[in-house]
Amino acid sequence: MEIINTDIAIVGAGGAGLRAAIAVAQADPSLNVALISKVYPMRSHTCAAEGGAAGVAGANDSMEYHFNDTVSGADWLADQDAVEFFIEEAPKELTLIEHWGCPWSRTKDGKVAVRPFGGMKMERTWYAADKSGFHILHTLFQTSLQFPSIRRYDEFFSTDLIVQDGVCQGVTAMEIRTGEMKLFKAKSVIICTGGAGRIYPFTTNGAIKTGDGMAMAYKAGIPLKDMEFVQYHPTGLPGTGILLTEGCRGEGGYMINKDGYRYLQDYGLGPAKPEPVKKAMELGPRDRLSQAFWHEMQKGRVVETRYGEAVLLDMRHLGEKLINERLPFVRDLAKSYMGVDVVDEPCPVRPVVHYMMGGIHTDINTATSIKGVYAVGECACVTINGANRLGSNSLTELLVFGKKAGHEAIGYIQGGTAPRDEADAEKQGEAAEARVKGILNRTDGKESVSVIRRELNDIMEYGCGIYRDANLLTEACNKIAELRDRFKDVQIKDKSAVFNTALTQALELEAMIEVSQSVAQSGLARTESRGAHQRLDYPARDDAKFLCHSMAHYNPNAEPRIDYLDVVITKSQPQERLYGAAGEAMAKKAEQEKQEKQPVAAAE
Ligand SMILES: Cc1cc2nc3c(=O)[nH]c(=O)nc-3n(C[C@H](O)[C@H](O)[C@H](O)COP(=O)(O)OP(=O)(O)OC[C@H]3O[C@@H](n4cnc5c(N)ncnc54)[C@H](O)[C@@H]3O)c2cc1C
């Protein structure tokens, strides 16, 4: 097996991976970086992000507001020390990438424009029309090209971490072009492999989002944290799951039901009036909006489309000029995939799986429980998103924590690493190769990848959807255990070495099963409702028992062991989550209390 020696291997070349690579290259050009990605970097999912990236901008906003929105949006399950670090760094990173070439949209007087986003009580989402992720990823990619210490391995599929006595020694990856396994011997590995939305059948996520890196870390002994929290985005196109960005509502779009009624006013998200639209209930958080859809469905107030039930996103009142200027891509998507011109008619939409709040457990510095292994981006849980991520925090998270991970990896290497047992590392590499070859060469298997994958998708939607209960989750757990067992008997027809997508899909399915099991088991164990995890049988939030992160520990032969880790609370004690008028009254009261306290502090 070919051995590639490097200092740092970064798995994943989306926003998180590229930002980490640039951070290393800038801070210490003497360190070699191997940037491994199963697709060409610009095909990473970050490219699909539309709406924008959050960071305090402008005089009306403050770090405190961004902190409060993020923590309450997370239903108090975010680690507040991580959130504090994140919001402080956010505007710096967004400004930095502008200097690298990111074309943020502008106001008439030339300042960076910000748009409102769900759950953010202030306008703080920086955007580049409705192709923000594309521009961010392009900016990072073109910036990365100037550093000779970054060596790219495009279309290399990573399979296993190499670990000795709890210390990272590298990672294996199959070159998809040749089918050959390579062993990357590295002192540090940064996992940036993105989310796992594809475990569900109906998702905004690109086909590559199969949780490979999560499964790789999990199998190496790193727990997966808060996996039960799966975000549904309220405005996906029926049928395809293609996203219409939250920017549609940020710009003033309405959510209406079959009677043309703005139904969100019935779900504690504030009155339809008074305007301005930008403070209206459509800008509630994603979990609440998706749950409201479920209730509308129960009440029979949804519209029927040929792809099932939906509600309507109405943007007619915004006018053609604004739509063309701020939401041109949305207009295109609705036309192409639904045959609807949003300038003239409302577009059918429904909740769609969008984002995993959970992921590889890291501390505030992106470090995992294996020395030298770091994780960043959607595959990781650092955790600023808690039980419900606010839209536009994720793109910024990639930048802030990508940089952090790069610097941490440098610090770790500079601190000196223990000598590697080269023979053992190679043996582990060969074992990884044998496992992959085992799947490729099997001729007596009775199971097919597509069948298991479809059954997995179906049970995830059925058992671990917007609302769950003990029966549904138990059914899901049992079915996933069965599929995990059946996977051992999977056979693929294509036996060729070159660009064998049947093989990569089998490897992806293996990861998806592990990730799904952690989602269902963590969901079953959490007998409360919080954020995106809503239990019909336990409808209340239970802070006494569950103000803590769930940690799923891999077990090769049975379901994962679940235990819990305390949430870090620095300054915001859990309260009721209030939006709309009630939310504003709460914020005003807090502000008043702060003002009242200030003179005393000054006197001291
Ligand atoms: C349609 C859509 C719109 C969104 N809009 C927004 C938005 O407006 N604002 C916002 O904040 N967030 C948004 N999000 C969320 C956000 O875009 C993602 O969470 C974020 O981009 C993930 O970045 P990442 O770098 O972690 O992973 P990705 O960009 O998904 O990249 C993952 C990388 O890992 C590599 N990889 C994966 N598995 C392997 C393997 N086995 N071997 C080798 N390489 C591997 C891939 O090749 C890829 O390079 C959106 C998400 C979607 C799906």
Side-chain angles (χ1 to χ4, degrees):
M1 181 184 325
E2 186 186 349
I3 294 168
I4 296 163
N5 285 300
T6 184
D7 294 303
I8 300 176
I10 299 177
V11 187
L18 284 168
R19 183 66 189 92
I22 294 168
V24 174
Q26 279 190 323
D28 189 346
S30 73
L31 291 177
N32 290 319
V33 176
L35 185 58
I36 303 166
S37 175
K38 69 177 175 180
V39 296
Y40 190 73
M42 278 308 294
R43 299 182 71 90
S44 303
H45 190 73
T46 300
C47 192
E50 298 167 19
V56 168
N60 295 335
D61 201 2
S62 73
M63 295 294 169
E64 195 180 344
Y65 291 156
H66 193 184
F67 174 88
N68 288 339
D69 287 350
T70 302
V71 170
S72 64
D75 221 345
W76 277 273
L77 203 71
D79 284 345
Q80 294 178 15
D81 53 351
V83 177
E84 282 179 49
F85 173 74
F86 165 70
I87 53 160
E88 290 285 341
E89 294 300 309
K92 296 181 209 163
E93 280 294 306
L94 297 178
T95 308
L96 177 70
I97 62 164
E98 164 159 282
H99 295 167
W100 289 348
C102 186
W104 296 123
S105 293
R106 298 268 156 192
T107 58
K108 280 201 187 83
D109 59 1
K111 297 205 172 88
V112 168
V114 280
R115 63 167 39 131
F117 240 60
M120 302 272 191
K121 296 194 179 92
M122 289 286 168
E123 298 175 11
R124 66 170 70 93
T125 298
W126 306 38
Y127 59 97
D130 53 2
K131 297 191 180 81
S132 307
F134 170 85
H135 288 298
I136 291 175
L137 195 61
H138 232 295
T139 301
L140 292 172
F141 185 46
Q142 73 191 13
T143 303
S144 77
L145 296 177
Q146 63 187 279
F147 299 104
S149 60
I150 303 174
R151 171 111 198 255
R152 289 216 325 276
Y153 294 87
D154 295 342
E155 299 182 333
F156 277 63
F157 191 106
S158 264
T159 61
D160 292 76
L161 281 174
I162 306 296
V163 182
Q164 288 168 357
D165 298 328
V167 179
C168 168
Q169 303 297 354
V171 67
T172 52
M174 181 180 75
E175 183 178 23
I176 302 175
R177 192 167 56 92
T178 59
E180 282 168 17
M181 189 67 93
K182 316 279 174 183
L183 172 59
F184 290 79
K185 287 188 178 171
K187 296 173 191 135
S188 175
V189 172
I190 307 176
I191 307 174
C192 306
T193 46
R198 284 277 160 169
I199 60 176
Y200 286 81
F202 187 62
T203 172
T204 62
N205 284 195
I208 62 168
K209 297 194 74 170
T210 46
D212 310 356
M214 291 181 186
M216 184 167 78
Y218 182 49
K219 285 203 225 162
I222 305 170
L224 294 182
K225 183 163 71 185
D226 291 342
M227 292 303 286
E228 61 273 42
F229 299 101
V230 177
Q231 177 164 83
Y232 279 75
H233 193 296
T235 56
L237 293 181
T240 56
I242 290 172
L243 180 76
L244 294 193
T245 170
E246 198 156 280
C248 300
R249 285 171 285 126
E251 297 298 342
Y254 294 150
M255 300 292 291
I256 55 176
N257 65 14
K258 77 171 176 19
D259 308 316
Y261 173 65
R262 288 173 69 192
Y263 61 92
L264 292 172
Q265 58 195 291
D266 296 354
Y267 300 98
L269 290 161
K273 287 190 186 263
E275 306 286 356
V277 170
K278 288 184 175 175
K279 291 238 158 112
M281 60 211 170
E282 273 80 5
L283 288 168
R286 291 173 179 177
D287 55 343
R288 293 282 175 85
L289 263 68
S290 298
Q291 289 148 21
F293 168 82
W294 186 89
H295 289 287
E296 285 295 292
M297 216 162 54
Q298 308 302 309
K299 292 177 190 164
R301 303 203 298 191
V302 288
V303 294
E304 283 298 334
T305 74
R306 69 188 144 123
Y307 305 112
E309 293 165 310
V311 282
L312 297 165
L313 176 61
D314 188 357
M315 295 191 275
R316 288 172 295 182
H317 53 288
L318 302 182
E320 186 164 10
K321 185 168 174 290
L322 184 139
I323 291 174
N324 283 346
E325 191 182 300
R326 308 257 180 101
L327 302 164
F329 189 41
V330 165
R331 190 175 181 190
D332 265 8
L333 289 172
K335 256 192 208 158
S336 307
Y337 292 94
M338 293 304 292
V340 167
D341 186 345
V342 294
V343 169
D344 302 322
E345 353 162 32
C347 184
V349 289
R350 55 154 288 188
V352 53
V353 167
H354 184 56
Y355 184 87
M356 311 288 295
M357 265 71 75
I360 301 166
H361 166 51
T362 74
D363 65 12
I364 184 175
N365 297 319
T366 72
T368 70
S369 51
I370 295 177
K371 284 201 188 76
V373 176
Y374 301 85
V376 195
E378 195 173 336
C379 69
C381 186
V382 62
T383 154
I384 60 161
N385 300 312
N388 173 61
R389 172 183 72 105
L390 292 191
S392 74
N393 267 350
S394 170
L395 288 173
T396 316
E397 178 182 355
L398 310 177
L399 303 172
V400 170
F401 290 100
K403 174 181 169 192
K404 181 81 186 152
H407 290 174
E408 289 293 315
I410 295 176
Y412 168 74
I413 291 173
Q414 284 172 348
T417 50
R420 178 187 298 130
D421 178 341
E422 305 290 347
D424 173 77
E426 281 152 39
K427 215 168 103 198
Q428 289 190 46
E430 278 153 21
E433 184 177 33
R435 186 172 62 79
V436 174
K437 290 266 147 63
I439 296 174
L440 177 68
N441 295 330
R442 186 174 302 137
T443 50
D444 58 352
K446 289 173 202 63
E447 297 286 350
S448 90
V449 169
S450 60
V451 170
I452 296 186
R453 187 170 170 145
R454 191 171 337 112
E455 289 182 29
L456 181 71
N457 275 174
D458 288 348
I459 194 66
M460 290 307 288
E461 180 77 17
Y462 171 78
C464 309
I466 298 178
Y467 280 95
R468 304 112 181 242
D469 67 18
N471 291 336
L472 292 170
L473 286 160
T474 306
E475 251 187 87
C477 290
N478 292 341
K479 180 73 186 180
I480 296 164
E482 175 207 309
L483 295 175
R484 199 183 189 216
D485 210 38
R486 280 169 51 194
F487 181 82
K488 294 181 190 138
D489 204 21
V490 92
Q491 182 180 319
I492 55 175
K493 287 195 184 124
D494 185 352
K495 302 291 177 197
S496 66
V498 176
F499 239 99
N500 188 336
T501 49
L503 178 58
T504 49
Q505 280 168 15
L507 295 172
E508 287 172 343
L509 177 61
E510 197 179 21
M512 286 161 73
I513 294 173
E514 296 301 338
V515 171
S516 300
Q517 191 169 41
S518 72
V519 171
Q521 294 284 349
S522 305
L524 182 61
R526 186 177 285 273
T527 49
E528 66 152 359
S529 289
R530 182 186 298 270
H533 174 69
Q534 290 294 313
R535 294 273 306 240
L536 291 163
D537 46 353
Y538 293 94
R541 195 175 81 188
D542 182 354
D543 287 332
K545 212 167 151 202
F546 283 111
L547 189 57
C548 50
H549 304 295
S550 62
M551 308 276 275
H553 302 263
Y554 176 72
N555 182 338
N557 305 313
E559 67 274 10
R561 175 173 61 82
I562 311 282
D563 58 17
Y564 294 92
L565 182 72
D566 283 345
V567 170
V568 178
I569 293 185
T570 56
K571 52 188 184 192
S572 172
Q573 291 302 323
Q575 302 161 34
E576 199 184 342
R577 276 172 83 203
L578 296 172
Y579 292 94
E584 273 182 28
M586 188 175 81
K588 251 190 215 143
K589 196 168 151 238
E591 185 61 27
Q592 238 167 21
E593 281 170 8
K594 202 176 90 188
Q595 303 279 345
E596 280 162 20
K597 276 188 199 148
Q598 258 167 7
V600 181
E604 282 167 357

PDB file of all heavy atoms in Angstrom, residues 265-282:
ATOM      1  N   GLN A 265     -49.380  32.520  13.140  1.00  0.00           N
ATOM      2  CA  GLN A 265     -49.882  33.291  14.282  1.00  0.00           C
ATOM      3  C   GLN A 265     -50.586  32.403  15.300  1.00  0.00           C
ATOM      4  O   GLN A 265     -50.763  32.792  16.456  1.00  0.00           O
ATOM      5  CB  GLN A 265     -50.806  34.402  13.813  1.00  0.00           C
ATOM      6  CG  GLN A 265     -52.005  33.925  13.021  1.00  0.00           C
ATOM      7  CD  GLN A 265     -52.656  35.090  12.282  1.00  0.00           C
ATOM      8  OE1 GLN A 265     -53.237  35.957  12.909  1.00  0.00           O
ATOM      9  NE2 GLN A 265     -52.543  35.115  10.972  1.00  0.00           N
ATOM     10  N   ASP A 266     -50.976  31.190  14.893  1.00  0.00           N
ATOM     11  CA  ASP A 266     -51.656  30.287  15.835  1.00  0.00           C
ATOM     12  C   ASP A 266     -50.669  29.476  16.683  1.00  0.00           C
ATOM     13  O   ASP A 266     -51.073  28.648  17.487  1.00  0.00           O
ATOM     14  CB  ASP A 266     -52.534  29.282  15.064  1.00  0.00           C
ATOM     15  CG  ASP A 266     -53.655  29.981  14.308  1.00  0.00           C
ATOM     16  OD1 ASP A 266     -53.792  31.202  14.480  1.00  0.00           O
ATOM     17  OD2 ASP A 266     -54.367  29.295  13.552  1.00  0.00           O
ATOM     18  N   TYR A 267     -49.367  29.647  16.457  1.00  0.00           N
ATOM     19  CA  TYR A 267     -48.395  28.764  17.123  1.00  0.00           C
ATOM     20  C   TYR A 267     -47.374  29.519  17.981  1.00  0.00           C
ATOM     21  O   TYR A 267     -46.208  29.151  18.050  1.00  0.00           O
ATOM     22  CB  TYR A 267     -47.682  27.903  16.067  1.00  0.00           C
ATOM     23  CG  TYR A 267     -48.660  27.042  15.299  1.00  0.00           C
ATOM     24  CD1 TYR A 267     -49.142  27.437  14.053  1.00  0.00           C
ATOM     25  CD2 TYR A 267     -49.149  25.859  15.855  1.00  0.00           C
ATOM     26  CE1 TYR A 267     -50.071  26.675  13.366  1.00  0.00           C
ATOM     27  CE2 TYR A 267     -50.079  25.088  15.166  1.00  0.00           C
ATOM     28  CZ  TYR A 267     -50.539  25.505  13.933  1.00  0.00           C
ATOM     29  OH  TYR A 267     -51.458  24.745  13.262  1.00  0.00           O
ATOM     30  N   GLY A 268     -47.845  30.594  18.603  1.00  0.00           N
ATOM     31  CA  GLY A 268     -46.982  31.302  19.562  1.00  0.00           C
ATOM     32  C   GLY A 268     -45.809  32.015  18.905  1.00  0.00           C
ATOM     33  O   GLY A 268     -44.802  32.280  19.548  1.00  0.00           O
ATOM     34  N   LEU A 269     -45.935  32.312  17.616  1.00  0.00           N
ATOM     35  CA  LEU A 269     -44.818  32.962  16.940  1.00  0.00           C
ATOM     36  C   LEU A 269     -45.101  34.435  16.672  1.00  0.00           C
ATOM     37  O   LEU A 269     -44.425  35.072  15.869  1.00  0.00           O
ATOM     38  CB  LEU A 269     -44.485  32.222  15.645  1.00  0.00           C
ATOM     39  CG  LEU A 269     -43.870  30.835  15.895  1.00  0.00           C
ATOM     40  CD1 LEU A 269     -43.973  29.952  14.674  1.00  0.00           C
ATOM     41  CD2 LEU A 269     -42.423  30.953  16.331  1.00  0.00           C
ATOM     42  N   GLY A 270     -46.128  34.959  17.360  1.00  0.00           N
ATOM     43  CA  GLY A 270     -46.394  36.388  17.243  1.00  0.00           C
ATOM     44  C   GLY A 270     -47.531  36.674  16.290  1.00  0.00           C
ATOM     45  O   GLY A 270     -47.929  35.825  15.509  1.00  0.00           O
ATOM     46  N   PRO A 271     -48.056  37.896  16.352  1.00  0.00           N
ATOM     47  CA  PRO A 271     -49.179  38.273  15.492  1.00  0.00           C
ATOM     48  C   PRO A 271     -48.703  38.603  14.089  1.00  0.00           C
ATOM     49  O   PRO A 271     -47.541  38.937  13.888  1.00  0.00           O
ATOM     50  CB  PRO A 271     -49.717  39.524  16.176  1.00  0.00           C
ATOM     51  CG  PRO A 271     -48.530  40.108  16.864  1.00  0.00           C
ATOM     52  CD  PRO A 271     -47.599  38.989  17.205  1.00  0.00           C
ATOM     53  N   ALA A 272     -49.630  38.498  13.135  1.00  0.00           N
ATOM     54  CA  ALA A 272     -49.290  38.840  11.759  1.00  0.00           C
ATOM     55  C   ALA A 272     -49.034  40.337  11.646  1.00  0.00           C
ATOM     56  O   ALA A 272     -48.283  40.783  10.807  1.00  0.00           O
ATOM     57  CB  ALA A 272     -50.432  38.445  10.847  1.00  0.00           C
ATOM     58  N   LYS A 273     -49.673  41.092  12.494  1.00  0.00           N
ATOM     59  CA  LYS A 273     -49.476  42.537  12.521  1.00  0.00           C
ATOM     60  C   LYS A 273     -49.144  42.897  13.950  1.00  0.00           C
ATOM     61  O   LYS A 273     -49.443  42.122  14.841  1.00  0.00           O
ATOM     62  CB  LYS A 273     -50.764  43.232  12.070  1.00  0.00           C
ATOM     63  CG  LYS A 273     -50.955  43.060  10.597  1.00  0.00           C
ATOM     64  CD  LYS A 273     -52.085  43.937  10.093  1.00  0.00           C
ATOM     65  CE  LYS A 273     -52.318  43.619   8.641  1.00  0.00           C
ATOM     66  NZ  LYS A 273     -51.735  44.413   7.671  1.00  0.00           N
ATOM     67  N   PRO A 274     -48.528  43.978  14.324  1.00  0.00           N
ATOM     68  CA  PRO A 274     -48.104  45.009  13.383  1.00  0.00           C
ATOM     69  C   PRO A 274     -46.862  44.588  12.599  1.00  0.00           C
ATOM     70  O   PRO A 274     -46.064  43.815  13.073  1.00  0.00           O
ATOM     71  CB  PRO A 274     -47.776  46.172  14.315  1.00  0.00           C
ATOM     72  CG  PRO A 274     -47.332  45.518  15.584  1.00  0.00           C
ATOM     73  CD  PRO A 274     -48.127  44.262  15.687  1.00  0.00           C
ATOM     74  N   GLU A 275     -46.777  45.157  11.400  1.00  0.00           N
ATOM     75  CA  GLU A 275     -45.555  44.999  10.638  1.00  0.00           C
ATOM     76  C   GLU A 275     -44.516  45.880  11.347  1.00  0.00           C
ATOM     77  O   GLU A 275     -44.834  46.499  12.328  1.00  0.00           O
ATOM     78  CB  GLU A 275     -45.816  45.431   9.179  1.00  0.00           C
ATOM     79  CG  GLU A 275     -47.008  44.700   8.558  1.00  0.00           C
ATOM     80  CD  GLU A 275     -46.685  43.235   8.214  1.00  0.00           C
ATOM     81  OE1 GLU A 275     -45.525  42.831   8.387  1.00  0.00           O
ATOM     82  OE2 GLU A 275     -47.560  42.512   7.786  1.00  0.00           O
ATOM     83  N   PRO A 276     -43.287  46.029  11.033  1.00  0.00           N
ATOM     84  CA  PRO A 276     -42.736  45.644   9.754  1.00  0.00           C
ATOM     85  C   PRO A 276     -42.609  44.131   9.592  1.00  0.00           C
ATOM     86  O   PRO A 276     -42.410  43.417  10.570  1.00  0.00           O
ATOM     87  CB  PRO A 276     -41.350  46.290   9.761  1.00  0.00           C
ATOM     88  CG  PRO A 276     -40.995  46.432  11.201  1.00  0.00           C
ATOM     89  CD  PRO A 276     -42.290  46.663  11.904  1.00  0.00           C
ATOM     90  N   VAL A 277     -42.736  43.735   8.358  1.00  0.00           N
ATOM     91  CA  VAL A 277     -42.668  42.332   8.004  1.00  0.00           C
ATOM     92  C   VAL A 277     -41.419  41.680   8.580  1.00  0.00           C
ATOM     93  O   VAL A 277     -41.433  40.553   9.036  1.00  0.00           O
ATOM     94  CB  VAL A 277     -42.651  42.210   6.461  1.00  0.00           C
ATOM     95  CG1 VAL A 277     -42.328  40.797   6.044  1.00  0.00           C
ATOM     96  CG2 VAL A 277     -44.000  42.616   5.907  1.00  0.00           C
ATOM     97  N   LYS A 278     -40.331  42.444   8.593  1.00  0.00           N
ATOM     98  CA  LYS A 278     -39.053  41.854   8.974  1.00  0.00           C
ATOM     99  C   LYS A 278     -39.027  41.382  10.424  1.00  0.00           C
ATOM    100  O   LYS A 278     -38.092  40.734  10.843  1.00  0.00           O
ATOM    101  CB  LYS A 278     -37.922  42.823   8.678  1.00  0.00           C
ATOM    102  CG  LYS A 278     -37.694  42.914   7.182  1.00  0.00           C
ATOM    103  CD  LYS A 278     -36.533  43.769   6.803  1.00  0.00           C
ATOM    104  CE  LYS A 278     -36.345  43.674   5.277  1.00  0.00           C
ATOM    105  NZ  LYS A 278     -35.331  44.526   4.786  1.00  0.00           N
ATOM    106  N   LYS A 279     -40.027  41.770  11.213  1.00  0.00           N
ATOM    107  CA  LYS A 279     -40.069  41.264  12.586  1.00  0.00           C
ATOM    108  C   LYS A 279     -41.193  40.256  12.731  1.00  0.00           C
ATOM    109  O   LYS A 279     -41.563  39.873  13.830  1.00  0.00           O
ATOM    110  CB  LYS A 279     -40.297  42.436  13.545  1.00  0.00           C
ATOM    111  CG  LYS A 279     -39.103  43.366  13.634  1.00  0.00           C
ATOM    112  CD  LYS A 279     -38.614  43.461  15.053  1.00  0.00           C
ATOM    113  CE  LYS A 279     -37.188  43.895  15.096  1.00  0.00           C
ATOM    114  NZ  LYS A 279     -36.752  45.058  15.562  1.00  0.00           N
ATOM    115  N   ALA A 280     -41.792  39.865  11.628  1.00  0.00           N
ATOM    116  CA  ALA A 280     -43.009  39.058  11.721  1.00  0.00           C
ATOM    117  C   ALA A 280     -42.705  37.613  12.057  1.00  0.00           C
ATOM    118  O   ALA A 280     -41.565  37.181  12.101  1.00  0.00           O
ATOM    119  CB  ALA A 280     -43.772  39.156  10.413  1.00  0.00           C
ATOM    120  N   MET A 281     -43.781  36.884  12.275  1.00  0.00           N
ATOM    121  CA  MET A 281     -43.671  35.524  12.806  1.00  0.00           C
ATOM    122  C   MET A 281     -43.001  34.531  11.862  1.00  0.00           C
ATOM    123  O   MET A 281     -42.544  33.496  12.289  1.00  0.00           O
ATOM    124  CB  MET A 281     -45.059  35.033  13.129  1.00  0.00           C
ATOM    125  CG  MET A 281     -45.926  35.013  11.920  1.00  0.00           C
ATOM    126  SD  MET A 281     -47.600  35.318  12.372  1.00  0.00           S
ATOM    127  CE  MET A 281     -48.287  35.531  10.771  1.00  0.00           C
ATOM    128  N   GLU A 282     -42.959  34.858  10.566  1.00  0.00           N
ATOM    129  CA  GLU A 282     -42.274  33.956   9.637  1.00  0.00           C
ATOM    130  C   GLU A 282     -40.804  33.798  10.028  1.00  0.00           C
ATOM    131  O   GLU A 282     -40.131  32.880   9.588  1.00  0.00           O
ATOM    132  CB  GLU A 282     -42.359  34.479   8.200  1.00  0.00           C
ATOM    133  CG  GLU A 282     -43.605  34.043   7.449  1.00  0.00           C
ATOM    134  CD  GLU A 282     -44.833  34.857   7.799  1.00  0.00           C
ATOM    135  OE1 GLU A 282     -44.705  35.844   8.561  1.00  0.00           O
ATOM    136  OE2 GLU A 282     -45.936  34.514   7.311  1.00  0.00           O
TER     137      GLU A 282
END
